[in-house]
Amino acid sequence: LLASGGGSIADAVLAAAARGRIPAEPVALVTDRWSAGALEVAARHGVPALVVAPGDHPDRRAWDSALADTLRAVRPDWVASLGFMRL
């Protein structure tokens, strides 16, 4: 799951998955902000959370690469963007 903000969409998706309403097993939540509320949501649902912040990388290309590397590392079958506001 990719999320940037407060995590309300992530909360709804994780709750639905826990109830079996979404046939998925979330493997991680990745955000681009250390202050994202989605990190707390992931913790509450027992889902590992990772931060790939643009400011931690010298430029957009390096950040894009780090994000791709992070996604490859968690090996998801699907990636869902839940309010992840990067173009």
Side-chain angles (χ1 to χ4, degrees), residues 2-79:
L2 297 175
S4 285
S8 59
I9 301 170
D11 191 39
V13 168
L14 291 169
R19 289 191 308 268
R21 293 179 158 240
I22 296 175
E25 184 177 329
V27 295
L29 181 136
V30 179
T31 184
D32 60 341
R33 294 181 29 226
W34 291 100
S35 62
L39 294 168
E40 293 174 20
V41 169
R44 202 167 54 245
H45 286 276
V47 173
L50 304 159
V51 177
V52 183
D56 294 343
H57 303 280
D59 55 34
R60 177 61 188 254
R61 185 175 176 152
W63 178 79
D64 287 343
S65 181
L67 180 61
D69 289 346
T70 299
L71 292 175
R72 275 191 288 277
V74 297
R75 303 185 61 186
D77 291 329
W78 295 91
V79 175

